[in-house]
């Protein structure tokens, strides 16, 4: 597979691994993201500011006062040629989600109707989907999480909502997401997590990272309220949701 | 009582900004930071601060700030219109830009409308005593983070100062206005120039574009001739699989008008980007006013990279060349001190 280098001015370039969305291509993106991170830590690559992974490409930003495109591109080529790390450490993250409250899941009935399922089957399909975080963007902490079970694929709502509450769990196309802030949104709301995807009081304010494996766990309203209180108070044990593999 | 600057009256878009919050774009965190890094760097240097210190970025109209500290050294850089200093028992007098000033308790700095640029900077000696968020004080107001409570300033806010007082000494001024450059804005083709037809690319580099009223920290929308995409917009010609957005990226959505993405830009986006403004011209872009016109001219990556050290050297020369802002009939305390010190060493 050939790699394309795209110019993004004199402070960045994008390494494009393909023009489609696939786990293989995204795997290479994440591997280069990790490889450049390791090379920076080892002092092997100089002047890189950060790398921004997306579904099919990695943007590398750099300080033109410290390095140049002509210096960096061959170094990135070497990292790719050397063979990218394949056994990336990934986190397995479990997100508790309350589906059975009409306030939290205003679109569940419609999704069920349009996918010819019972609401419980929609929930079961969402719980069974092998999700993976592909990219964060649009707003801090907003993750595009692919892997939705195919029977739930729907286009976005024709009328986006002006206000989607924080922590809403939504689906559209082949993805699911969790809104980190109250914001406008056009996805179908099928539940809500008591977790905050962005909390500036935490040492790591953004909970999800690109590359995370993710699964939802169904909770009832009572558990939701209990966890919500702990999250609000800042006493919730976030590490209980994460397994490193 | 803690030392600070009290916002007596808020301006329109006053936010604290430093050189940006880098390292977290992978988490969807925009870098934010100063729209005009040169203006912020000059203000910081005049106030005696390191370049990465956060200053107050002022957009369109600045605030009225009451000094609630024994003394504070400030430097205002950017606006052509003079600010005013007044009180507590003195008549208002102009406070010149591009130099430092020592203000005393009870005085009020009225920045007012800024003219000649959309952006100005106020630096205070020692900086503001606020906690950085993810390594930076830059305000990103869409997520309510950084700066002062994650938002633009409001009347009643007390901006805490790191230094409760500063020693008297010479004030310094910029010897001459910094030359931001003129002529067309330099751009580098890409990352998605092939999403535009040959005619579309030609329009982009030949036409004149006007800054619209829709210009803010996130991006500047331009008005002018539309840029043709290579493929029909109805068939996805203006859609890409989202990729990273560099500072100065020029995205062209289906309507065909360019939007230059600035400090508060999203980290990733799904519109094709015809070109990217060279970093040397970003500060100029950050100062543009609605109604001003620009042209774009292509340069190579290597050419753009070569322009930066030159601009940086000019900035450092401007800082090294600060002159003493001498009051009429006053003496140059610093020079007197330095010369005496040198004499002492020589003759010992």
């Amino acid at each position: 597979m050939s790699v394309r280098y795209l110019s993004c001015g004199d402070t960045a370039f994008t390494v494009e691994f393909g023009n489609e969305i696939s786990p293989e291509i995204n795997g290479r993106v994440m591997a280069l993201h990790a490889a450049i991170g390791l090379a920076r830590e080892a002092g092997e690559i100089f002047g890189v500011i950060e790398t921004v992974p997306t579904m099919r490409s990695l943007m590398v930003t750099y300080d033109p006062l410290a390095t140049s495109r002509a210096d960096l591109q061959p170094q990135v080529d070497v990292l790719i040629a050397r063979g990218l790390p394949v056994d990336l450490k990934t986190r397995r993250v479990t997100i508790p989600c309350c589906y059975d409250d009409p306030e939290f899941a205003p679109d569940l009935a419609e999704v069920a109707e349009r996918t010819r399922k019972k609401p419980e089957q929609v929930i079961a399909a969402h719980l069974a989907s092998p999700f993976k975080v592909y990219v964060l963007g649009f707003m801090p902490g907003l993750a595009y999480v692919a892997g939705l079970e195919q029977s739930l694929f729907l286009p976005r709502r024709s009328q986006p909502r002006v206000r989607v509450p924080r922590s809403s769990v939504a689906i559209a196309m082949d993805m699911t997401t969790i809104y980190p802030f109250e914001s406008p949104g056009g996805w179908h709301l099928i539940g809500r997590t008591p977790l905050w995807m962005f909390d500036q009081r935490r040492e790591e304010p953004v909970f999800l990272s690109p590359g995370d494996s993710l699964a939802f766990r169904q909770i009832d309203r009572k558990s939701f309220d209990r966890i919500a209180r702990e999250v609000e108070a800042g006493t919730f044990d976030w590490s209980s949701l994460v397994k490193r593999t | 009582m803690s030392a600070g600057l009290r916002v007596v009256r808020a301006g329109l878009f006053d936010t604290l900004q430093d050189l940006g919050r880098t390292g977290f774009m992978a988490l969807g965190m925009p870098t934010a930071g100063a729209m005009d890094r040169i203006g912020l760097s000059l203000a910081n240097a005049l106030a005696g601060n390191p370049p990465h210190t956060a200053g107050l970025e002022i957009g369109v109209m600045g605030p009225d700030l009451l000094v609630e500290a024994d003394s504070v050294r400030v430097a205002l850089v950017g606006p052509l219109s003079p600010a005013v200093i007044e009180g507590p028992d003195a008549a208002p007098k102009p406070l010149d830009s591009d130099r430092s000033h020592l203000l005393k308790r009870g005085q009020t700095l009225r920045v007012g409308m800024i003219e000649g640029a959309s952006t100005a900077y106020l630096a205070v000696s020692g900086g503001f005593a606020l906690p950085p968020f993810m390594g930076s004080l830059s305000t990103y107001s869409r997520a309510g983070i950084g700066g002062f409570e994650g938002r633009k300033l409001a009347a009643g806010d007390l901006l805490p100062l790191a230094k409760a007082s500063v020693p008297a000494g010479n004030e310094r001024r910029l010897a001459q206005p910094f030359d931001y450059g003129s002529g067309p804005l330099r751009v580098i083709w890409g990352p998605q120039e092939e999403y535009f037809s040959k005619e579309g690319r030609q329009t982009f580099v030949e036409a004149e574009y006007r800054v619209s009223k829709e210009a803010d920290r996130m991006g500047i929308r331009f008005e002018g001739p539309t840029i043709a995409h290579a493929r029909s917009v109805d068939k996805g010609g203006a859609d890409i699989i989202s990729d990273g957005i560099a500072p100065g990226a020029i995205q062209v959505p289906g309507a065909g008008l360019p939007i230059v993405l600035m400090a508060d830009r999203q980290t990733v986006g799904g519109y094709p980007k015809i070109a990217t403004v060279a970093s040397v011209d970003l500060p100029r872009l950050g100062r543009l006013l609605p109604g001003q016109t620009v042209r774009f001219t292509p340069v190579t990556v290597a050419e753009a990279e070569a322009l930066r050290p030159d601009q940086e050297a000019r900035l450092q020369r401007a800082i090294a060349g600060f002159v003493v802002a001498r009051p009429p009939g006053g003496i140059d305390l610093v020079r007197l001190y330095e010369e005496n010190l040198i004499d002492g060493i020589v003759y010992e």
Side-chain angles (χ1 to χ4, degrees), chain A residues 16 58 180 189 225:
Chain A
E16 192 179 274
L58 186 75
L189 312 185
D225 290 337

Side-chain angles (χ1 to χ4, degrees), chain A residues 139-141 181 198-201 205-206, chain B residues 15-17 21 24 28-33 131-152 217 264:
Chain A
M139 58 181 116
F181 301 92
F198 182 90
D199 183 352
Q200 57 174 299
R201 301 170 304 176
V206 176
Chain B
T15 55
L16 292 183
Q17 300 293 343
R21 179 175 289 105
F24 305 100
M29 180 64 68
T31 57
F133 174 70
M134 295 173 104
S136 165
L137 263 180
S138 286
T139 309
Y140 177 59
S141 48
R142 277 184 179 77
I145 57 159
F148 186 87
E149 297 184 358
R151 58 170 171 80
K152 63 182 185 179
R217 287 186 42 80
D264 282 2

Side-chain angles (χ1 to χ4, degrees), chain A:
Chain A
M1 271 190 291
S2 67
V3 167
R4 289 175 74 210
Y5 285 86
L6 311 180
S7 295
C8 306
D10 60 329
T11 65
F13 56 88
T14 288
V15 189
E16 192 179 274
F17 288 93
N19 197 17
E20 58 187 295
I21 297 172
S22 80
E24 292 72 31
I25 288 174
N26 187 252
R28 300 187 75 203
V29 172
M30 293 311 299
L32 183 61
H33 178 55
I36 293 178
L38 291 171
R40 289 178 65 202
E41 280 171 29
E44 290 172 9
I45 200 164
F46 185 70
V48 169
I49 296 171
E50 59 189 306
T51 51
V52 187
T54 67
M55 301 273 186
R56 48 75 185 244
S57 68
L58 186 75
M59 184 169 79
V60 179
T61 73
Y62 64 92
D63 178 0
L65 297 174
T67 184
S68 69
R69 168 81 173 274
D71 270 350
L72 281 177
Q73 189 170 320
Q75 297 182 65
V76 172
D77 273 334
V78 166
L79 288 177
I80 295 171
R82 197 192 281 173
L84 298 170
V86 280
D87 52 344
L88 287 178
K89 278 185 192 161
T90 55
R91 306 194 311 166
R92 296 190 58 81
V93 177
T94 307
I95 304 280
C97 181
C98 179
Y99 299 90
D100 52 7
D101 190 301
E103 183 202 339
F104 292 169
D107 298 334
L108 185 58
E110 192 193 325
V111 169
E113 198 185 308
R114 290 176 64 182
T115 58
R116 298 172 186 196
K117 291 178 188 293
K118 293 176 180 161
E120 307 85 76
Q121 292 171 318
V122 172
I123 295 167
H126 194 249
L127 289 167
S129 299
F131 288 120
K132 191 177 166 207
V133 177
Y134 272 80
V135 59
L136 282 88
F138 183 57
M139 58 181 116
L142 185 91
Y144 291 87
V145 185
L148 185 66
E149 190 176 286
Q150 202 163 355
S151 63
L152 293 182
F153 287 11
L154 286 174
R156 279 172 282 209
R157 289 168 56 85
S158 50
Q159 285 288 340
R161 283 188 174 81
V162 179
R163 280 180 37 195
V164 172
R166 174 170 65 184
S167 298
S168 292
V169 173
I171 60 170
M173 302 160 291
D174 58 346
M175 288 183 274
T176 194
T177 196
I178 304 158
Y179 285 81
F181 301 92
E182 181 185 288
S183 68
W187 292 34
H188 308 275
L189 312 185
I190 62 164
R192 198 179 299 175
T193 173
L195 307 178
W196 295 353
M197 293 299 104
F198 182 90
D199 183 352
Q200 57 174 299
R201 301 170 304 176
R202 284 202 305 265
E203 198 179 329
E204 290 177 357
V206 176
F207 181 51
L208 296 176
S209 294
D212 286 350
S213 295
L214 191 149
F216 289 87
R217 178 172 69 82
Q218 188 170 15
I219 56 170
D220 60 16
R221 180 65 197 245
K222 217 173 125 192
S223 306
F224 179 97
D225 290 337
R226 179 180 54 76
I227 298 172
R229 278 192 301 273
E230 292 181 16
V231 168
E232 170 106 46
T235 58
F236 183 72
D237 176 17
W238 290 80
S239 67
S240 67
L241 305 173
V242 179
K243 277 203 183 103
R244 283 166 207 279
T245 53

Side-chain angles (χ1 to χ4, degrees), chain B residues 35 116-119 185 209-212 215 220 222 260 262 281-294 296:
Chain B
M35 292 281 276
S118 60
T119 312
L185 290 165
Y209 286 93
R210 181 182 303 275
V211 179
S212 78
I220 300 171
F222 285 89
V260 183
M262 302 295 287
D281 282 338
L282 284 176
R284 224 174 113 197
L285 206 53
R287 288 161 51 85
L288 287 179
L289 289 160
Q292 285 183 318
T293 55
V294 300
F296 301 105

